[in-house]
């Protein structure tokens, strides 16, 4: 990851901003139009009032003609009302766009997360990078939002400078009359040039100081983001229902509080951010305000001296003071926006580092053709696999063929490679050696989505959503209710479903509905199994979703599943041999290798084999009750 203090070149700044500009236009069309329009309107509208008020005051202080004053007053009121209306409408439009912008931006990150190779999702670095991006956004809006927001400020600054310049030119060009004596020095071009330079310098000084303050703030990002993570990790422990019992039982809040007070940038007065705020950030920000005050003083002095010397009337004093102050303010807005954009570059770097994570898995274009006979045969041929960054083989020389419509069990001790085997079967990873074939063709050559559609897996740590029961089962809001009901009944959830007043529309959990239903672990498993059945894929895999149950209960569920799997090819994973003894074939994994294969009887007959060894070691768990399914 690039460091925030890495040097930022002008070339990189331009490149990254050009790319961000194109990306934002693509994912949120209209975002720039509305912010530029609003920025311009907000910058220009005050000038109309400044100009018309000056004309009215000049007339009042001079000829006092009613036929001039009347239309001027009407114009001032009408234009003021119109501009307020337009600016207000644009602001509403921009606010609505902002909500869309944030939603689309989040979707951009979510799409990336969903489309990247699973191997990358599994990496700590990926999560770290994503979390850094999220923390920078939450902490100070750094990232895409900052870019969009400051783009508006650039438009506002430029429009404001232009408008103010038009109203200010005559301040410098209107001559002091000769009768003013030495004050005619104000008419000299050299004096005017010097004054413009002095004003520009003082105007730039304020925002430059502010930018220095911003740089110091950005330098605290790393530390502050960490503080934010601590805050998010520990700050809401007490609100987390699932942790309530553990916290009470073990007083975990003491650990959380200690950590929060020690690490958090907010609670810790000696943190880098707190010190920077008391030190350089505070000093630069104060100097910035000081420069602005000096500038305002200089402007008043110059305008008043020129008016006093007789260059223009009292009305013009309001115009010039207003316009020059606005000129300085808008120069400040522009310079500050440029500075913020620059300090945003390292955060945009992180974003693009994340969005540019390449998809390295080869994706073929072959379709798996929907076969009604479900004749999909998958074979592992001498497959070996190491997890990225690991030096040990998680699977070694695995040869297995799944026979269509049969039940295969994958058993072995924890850590023997069973889940890894399923991850490879579902092509979440590609093996480094060997091949996995579907109907004789390497699975890499198939379209990834088509291939994934062949599998329904119930993982050990499956997740349900706080959504209606039926939507959970179908994975969609619109679904076939009869099929969803059947899947739930097949999965053994029928009685519970009948007792639910809203049936399939019952909300699970309480996040989105007060009358949501909290289901037990066992019920959740049944819903997860129903979800796999609803998908109706030719392969169905149970990867120890029942690990939290006792061995006998697991055996019951597995055996029942045997009936409902129908003509599907079913794969059962368990470290408990008793759950799988009804299967047509059992593959015994040990240290990433398939050390034995056969039926339960065949395997048990080999007294010295791994299976017999595990069987006898585990026998105590299930000899007390007969296995529900006899082979
Ligand atoms: P099982 O499902 O039989 O319990 P696994 O397939 O989960 O075993 O694990 C096989 C081996 O691979 C173990 O040594 C485990 O530590 C390792 N392993 C599993 N997941 C990862 C991962 N994401 N990164 C690195 N090593 C892993």
């Amino acid at each position: 990851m690039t460091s925030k203090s890495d040097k930022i070149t002008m070339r990189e700044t331009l490149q990254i901003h050009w790319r961000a500009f194109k990306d934002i236009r693509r994912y949120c069309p209209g975002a720039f139009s509305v912010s530029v329009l609003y920025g311009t309107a907000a910058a220009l509208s005050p000038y109309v009032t400044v100009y018309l008020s000056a004309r009215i005051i000049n007339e009042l202080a001079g000829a006092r003609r009613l036929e001039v004053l009347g239309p001027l007053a009407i114009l001032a009121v009408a234009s003021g009302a119109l501009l307020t209306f337009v600016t207000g409408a644009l602001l509403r439009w921009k606010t609505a766009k902002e909500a869309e912008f944030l939603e689309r931006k989040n979707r951009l990150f979510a799409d990336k997360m969903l489309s990247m190779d699973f191997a990358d999702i599994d990496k700590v670095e990926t999560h770290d990078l994503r979390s850094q991006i999220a923390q920078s956004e939450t902490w100070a809006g750094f990232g895409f939002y900052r870019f969009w927001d400051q783009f508006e400020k650039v438009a506002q600054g430029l429009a404001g400078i232009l408008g103010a310049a038009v109203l200010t030119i005559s301040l410098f060009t209107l001559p002091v009359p000769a009768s003013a004596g030495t004050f005619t020095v104000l008419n000299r071009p050299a004096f005017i040039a010097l004054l413009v330079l002095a004003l520009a310098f003082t105007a730039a000084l304020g925002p430059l100081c502010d930018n220095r303050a911003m740089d110091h703030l950005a330098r605290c990002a790393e530390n502050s983001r960490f503080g934010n993570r601590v805050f998010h990790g520990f700050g809401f422990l007490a609100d987390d229902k699932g942790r309530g019992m553990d916290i009470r039982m073990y007083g975990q809040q003491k650990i959380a509080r200690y950590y929060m007070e020690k690490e958090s940038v907010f609670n810790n007065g000696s943190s880098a951010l707190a010190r920077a705020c008391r030190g350089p950030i505070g000093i630069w920000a104060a100097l910035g305000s000081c420069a602005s005050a000096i500038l305002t003083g200089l402007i008043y002095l110059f305008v008043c001296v020129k008016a006093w010397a007789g260059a223009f009337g009292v009305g013009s004093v309001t115009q010039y003071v207003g316009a020059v102050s606005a000129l300085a303010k808008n120069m400040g807005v522009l310079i500050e926006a440029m500075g913020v954009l620059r300090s945003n570059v390292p955060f945009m770097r992180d974003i693009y580092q994340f969005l540019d994570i390449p998809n390295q898995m080869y994706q073929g274009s072959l379709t798996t053709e929907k076969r009604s006979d479900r004749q999909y045969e998958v074979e592992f041929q001498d497959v070996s696999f190491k997890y990225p960054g690991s030096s040990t083989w998680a699977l070694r020389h695995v040869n297995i063929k799944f026979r269509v419509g049969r039940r295969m069990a994958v058993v072995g001790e924890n850590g023997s490679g069973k889940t890894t085997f399923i991850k490879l079967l579902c092509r979440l990873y590609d093996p480094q050696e060997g091949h996995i074939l579907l109907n004789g063709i390497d699975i890499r050559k198939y379209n990834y989505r088509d291939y994934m559609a062949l599998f329904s897996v119930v993982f050990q740590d499956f997740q349900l959503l706080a959504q209606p029961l039926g939507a959970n089962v179908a994975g969609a809001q619109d679904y076939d209710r009869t099929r969803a009901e059947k899947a739930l009944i097949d999965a053994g959830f029928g009685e519970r479903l009948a007792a639910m007043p809203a049936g399939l529309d019952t909300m699970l959990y309480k996040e989105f509905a007060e009358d949501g239903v909290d289901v037990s672990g066992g019920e959740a498993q049944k819903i997860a199994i129903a979800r796999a059945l609803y998908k109706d894929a030719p392969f169905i895999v149970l990867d120890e979703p029942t690990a939290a149950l006792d061995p006998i209960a697991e055996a019951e569920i597995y055996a029942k599943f045997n009936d409902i799997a129908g003509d599907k090819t079913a794969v059962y994973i368990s470290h408990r041999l008793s759950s799988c003894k009804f299967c047509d074939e059992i593959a015994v994994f040990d240290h990433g290798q398939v050390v034995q294969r056969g039926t339960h009887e065949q395997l048990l007959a080999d007294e010295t084999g791994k299976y017999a060894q595990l069987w006898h070691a585990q026998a105590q768990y299930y000899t007390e009750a007969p296995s529900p399914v006899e082979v």
Side-chain angles (χ1 to χ4, degrees), residues 295-416:
L295 178 71
T296 315
L298 276 179
I299 294 167
Y300 267 97
L301 185 69
F302 177 61
V303 173
C304 290
V305 168
K306 246 188 134 167
W308 184 77
F312 39 73
V314 65
S316 302
V317 171
T318 5
Q319 172 179 325
Y320 294 136
V321 167
V324 182
S325 308
L327 182 70
K329 188 183 125 214
N330 284 302
M331 273 178 70
V333 168
L334 185 66
I335 294 170
E336 200 175 317
M338 303 294 237
V340 176
L341 282 173
R342 210 179 113 267
S343 60
N344 193 37
V345 170
F347 300 95
M348 293 302 300
R349 258 189 213 150
D350 284 354
I351 288 180
Y352 282 122
Q353 193 184 343
F354 173 76
L355 292 177
D356 289 345
I357 293 174
N359 284 71
Q360 277 159 344
M361 271 177 127
Y362 175 78
Q363 297 216 22
S365 54
L366 275 184
T367 166
T368 53
E369 60 184 282
K370 295 264 175 294
R371 300 179 68 128
S372 54
D373 57 4
R374 298 185 186 275
Q375 291 298 309
Y376 294 106
E377 202 169 65
V378 176
E379 183 176 2
F380 276 55
Q381 276 187 348
D382 200 24
V383 166
S384 296
F385 173 73
K386 279 178 196 169
Y387 279 97
S390 168
S391 56
T392 49
W393 293 101
L395 288 183
R396 196 71 182 130
H397 302 305
V398 173
N399 287 288
I400 280 190
K401 192 171 191 167
F402 294 93
R403 283 180 292 152
V404 179
R406 309 298 285 269
R407 279 50 176 141
M408 166 167 308
V410 175
V411 300
E413 289 169 287
N414 283 333
S416 58

Side-chain angles (χ1 to χ4, degrees), residues 118 122-123 385-390 392-395 410-423 429 460 543-544 573-575 589 591-592:
F118 188 80
D122 228 12
K123 282 185 191 156
F385 173 73
K386 279 178 196 169
Y387 279 97
S390 168
T392 49
W393 293 101
L395 288 183
V410 175
V411 300
E413 289 169 287
N414 283 333
S416 58
K418 304 182 297 295
T419 296
T420 307
F421 172 66
I422 298 305
K423 284 182 179 167
Y429 293 97
Q460 187 168 343
D543 183 7
E544 301 197 89
I573 318 284
S574 185
H575 62 281
F589 274 67
H591 291 97

Side-chain angles (χ1 to χ4, degrees), residues 149-165:
D149 166 59
Q150 293 307 306
F151 198 87
E152 175 195 316
K153 294 280 179 294
V154 169
Q156 186 182 339
L158 285 175
I161 289 171
L162 215 71

